[in-house]
Amino acid sequence: MTSSPSVARQAISNIIPAIVVEIMLLIYNLADTFFIGQTHDPLQLAAVSLASPIFMVLIALGIIFMAGAMSFISRTLGAGRKDRADNIASFCVWGSVITGVVVALIFMFFIDSILNAIGASPETFKLAYSYLSIVVASTPFILFSMASGGIMRAENHASAAMTGQIFGNMLNVVLDPIMILWFGWGITGAAIATTASIIIGAGYYAGYFLTGRSSLSIHVKNFRVSGGIALGVLAIGVPACLDPWLMSVSQMVMNSLMSAYGDMAVAAAGVSMRIEQIAILTALGTGQGVQPLLGFSIGAEDWKRYREMLMFALKFTVTLTLVMIAGCFVFSRNIVAMFVNEPEAFGYAVKFLRMKLSSSLLFAVFFVFVNALQAMGAGKASFILSVCRQCVLYMPLMFVFNHLWGEYGIVWALPAAELLSLLQTVIIYGKIIFNPKYFVYSE
């Protein structure tokens, strides 16, 4: 199927800003690792690797409101129901802030137990604690910013969402070397820089609504929980957040298993995971960029445009992901050397990275299909796929492969899980498309 020029233009106009957002998010995630690596202290690097999945849990919570907003609002606007879209937007913004405050308090109370559970050693415990105890304070601002970005994309203001992400992330990149290296605060400085950039970045999103740039109202008077508002957001948002949340849990499991092979293996696993994200940037951006366009087409019942948009997204992500994989593989040693130079950690990281790259294309196709399901409002299908990918496949395989092949088996569990997940996704998507009774449309 050949996409029409208008479909390609509209898709590109949303996909490119979404990819830029993912690049900025990657830079944001890599900044702490890179500048802490310049301290030449592998224990601080290992501590950041341990703390990373906790931070990703916070991001996953934000995805509830971001994905819920993108899917539900875009479908509602496509159906011409602007007042209801205002209710959804207000629920997402205020719901994200309230959730963020509650979660921050819970994390602060249980932080010791969490660090012990994820495999912090006596040498890395205090370092990871100093990082997380500061970063979790930014939780309400993380969730608010992500909810706002989802609303912007749903109303076709992808460039505005991109600008906010760039602003916050670049601020973190500027503050990191100052706090970590110049002031000599190390991992504590990284946490301060991260928290400050998140809070200031949230100010941009607040200004977007306060200055009337949005076509939607987030005024508290529009806040609704009943009438299917909360259910409609959560039906898509919760399954969407499950995959990154369970990914964080699986990373904690991986760190715990990898800790048996030493702190350098843990540090290498964290570095390789962050670098591997480079290869899947186009997939993440394509899936999130095209989702509101697919949702709008569904709301307007324009299935021809929906199919053209989906095929364009698949071709686009496969092509660019292959290019990214090739670049990361060829220059793997050079890229890893930017983050770690300790010989044992370096050797592990290069091998781990090349192993993980073998599954990147599988994830790329998987992610586009999952976003298509979320655009439809197929929350049940998204939930099944998320739980199966991490809980039924990836985590059990880590234990089995660790027993068979040690630390390298832990890493090989990811490609095996991705292959099985993609097969499952294609089967479920086919059932929904060809059998309308499987179509869950959240009103």
Side-chain angles (χ1 to χ4, degrees), residues 57-68 96 142-144 146-147 241:
V57 168
L58 305 182
I59 297 293
L61 288 172
I63 290 175
I64 293 177
F65 299 98
M66 182 184 76
S96 68
I142 293 173
L143 270 59
F144 167 75
M146 295 187 69
C241 99

Side-chain angles (χ1 to χ4, degrees), residues 24-98:
M24 290 298 102
L25 184 59
L26 178 64
I27 292 172
Y28 177 81
N29 287 334
L30 291 178
D32 286 354
T33 304
F34 175 78
F35 288 112
I36 287 175
Q38 304 313 299
T39 67
H40 306 297
D41 183 352
L43 289 177
Q44 290 195 62
L45 200 59
V48 171
S49 296
L50 286 169
S52 177
I54 305 298
F55 188 75
M56 290 307 297
V57 168
L58 305 182
I59 297 293
L61 288 172
I63 290 175
I64 293 177
F65 299 98
M66 182 184 76
M70 281 197 297
S71 175
F72 203 5
I73 292 176
S74 61
R75 281 183 280 121
T76 303
L77 290 175
R81 303 175 66 183
K82 200 270 182 184
D83 289 346
R84 186 168 174 80
D86 287 338
N87 298 145
I88 301 168
S90 181
F91 171 81
C92 288
V93 165
W94 295 107
S96 68
V97 172
I98 295 169

Side-chain angles (χ1 to χ4, degrees), residues 2 9 26 35 173 267 274 343 407:
T2 301
R9 275 196 306 271
L26 178 64
F35 288 112
V173 172
R274 289 169 182 256
E407 66 268 50

Side-chain angles (χ1 to χ4, degrees), residues 312-332:
F312 178 85
L314 287 169
K315 293 175 183 177
F316 186 88
T317 195
V318 167
T319 301
L320 290 189
T321 301
L322 285 173
V323 172
M324 300 293 278
I325 292 171
C328 289
F329 191 90
V330 171
F331 297 104
S332 57

Side-chain angles (χ1 to χ4, degrees), residues 31 74 171 215 395 426 438:
S74 61
L171 181 61
S215 62
M395 283 187 265
V426 171
Y438 290 102

Side-chain angles (χ1 to χ4, degrees), residues 12-308:
I12 289 293
S13 68
N14 264 38
I15 289 172
I16 295 302
I19 291 176
V20 172
V21 166
E22 292 301 326
I23 293 173
M24 290 298 102
L25 184 59
L26 178 64
I27 292 172
Y28 177 81
N29 287 334
L30 291 178
D32 286 354
T33 304
F34 175 78
F35 288 112
I36 287 175
Q38 304 313 299
T39 67
H40 306 297
D41 183 352
L43 289 177
Q44 290 195 62
L45 200 59
V48 171
S49 296
L50 286 169
S52 177
I54 305 298
F55 188 75
M56 290 307 297
V57 168
L58 305 182
I59 297 293
L61 288 172
I63 290 175
I64 293 177
F65 299 98
M66 182 184 76
M70 281 197 297
S71 175
F72 203 5
I73 292 176
S74 61
R75 281 183 280 121
T76 303
L77 290 175
R81 303 175 66 183
K82 200 270 182 184
D83 289 346
R84 186 168 174 80
D86 287 338
N87 298 145
I88 301 168
S90 181
F91 171 81
C92 288
V93 165
W94 295 107
S96 68
V97 172
I98 295 169
T99 302
V101 171
V102 173
V103 169
L105 293 174
I106 292 173
F107 265 87
M108 288 299 297
F109 188 77
F110 291 105
I111 191 168
D112 286 16
S113 301
I114 292 170
L115 287 173
N116 285 322
I118 62 177
S121 68
E123 292 78 13
T124 58
F125 184 93
K126 288 184 178 180
L127 294 168
Y129 183 95
S130 66
Y131 183 84
L132 283 176
S133 60
I134 296 172
V135 169
V136 295
S138 65
T139 304
F141 302 94
I142 293 173
L143 270 59
F144 167 75
S145 295
M146 295 187 69
S148 300
I151 293 168
M152 292 175 182
R153 291 178 185 177
E155 56 179 340
N156 206 25
H157 289 171
S159 295
M162 175 188 69
T163 301
Q165 190 75 55
I166 291 174
F167 175 68
N169 291 354
M170 292 309 296
L171 181 61
N172 185 62
V173 172
V174 171
L175 291 177
D176 258 347
I178 296 173
M179 302 289 185
I180 297 170
L181 302 176
W182 190 21
F183 289 172
W185 293 346
I187 196 170
T188 301
I192 294 172
T194 296
T195 302
S197 63
I198 289 170
I199 293 173
I200 296 172
Y204 165 85
Y205 291 103
Y208 173 83
F209 293 109
L210 293 175
T211 56
R213 295 171 60 194
S214 174
S215 62
L216 299 174
S217 171
I218 62 167
H219 196 284
V220 68
K221 70 179 181 181
N222 293 314
F223 182 86
R224 300 285 188 280
V225 174
S226 59
I229 299 297
L231 181 60
V233 171
L234 297 178
I236 295 302
V238 170
C241 99
L242 270 181
D243 197 60
W245 184 77
L246 290 173
M247 193 180 300
S248 297
V249 174
S250 65
Q251 189 185 345
M252 295 178 200
V253 172
M254 182 189 70
N255 285 335
S256 181
L257 292 173
M258 199 68 76
S259 65
Y261 303 97
D263 286 332
M264 296 307 99
V266 174
V271 169
S272 63
M273 179 205 68
R274 289 169 182 256
I275 297 174
E276 192 255 347
Q277 291 175 347
I278 297 173
I280 59 175
L281 282 176
T282 54
L284 295 171
T286 302
Q288 293 184 4
V290 81
Q291 188 197 114
L293 301 177
L294 294 173
F296 191 91
S297 297
I298 291 168
E301 299 185 358
D302 189 346
W303 291 100
K304 178 176 181 294
R305 192 172 185 83
Y306 168 86
R307 288 190 294 272
E308 289 182 356

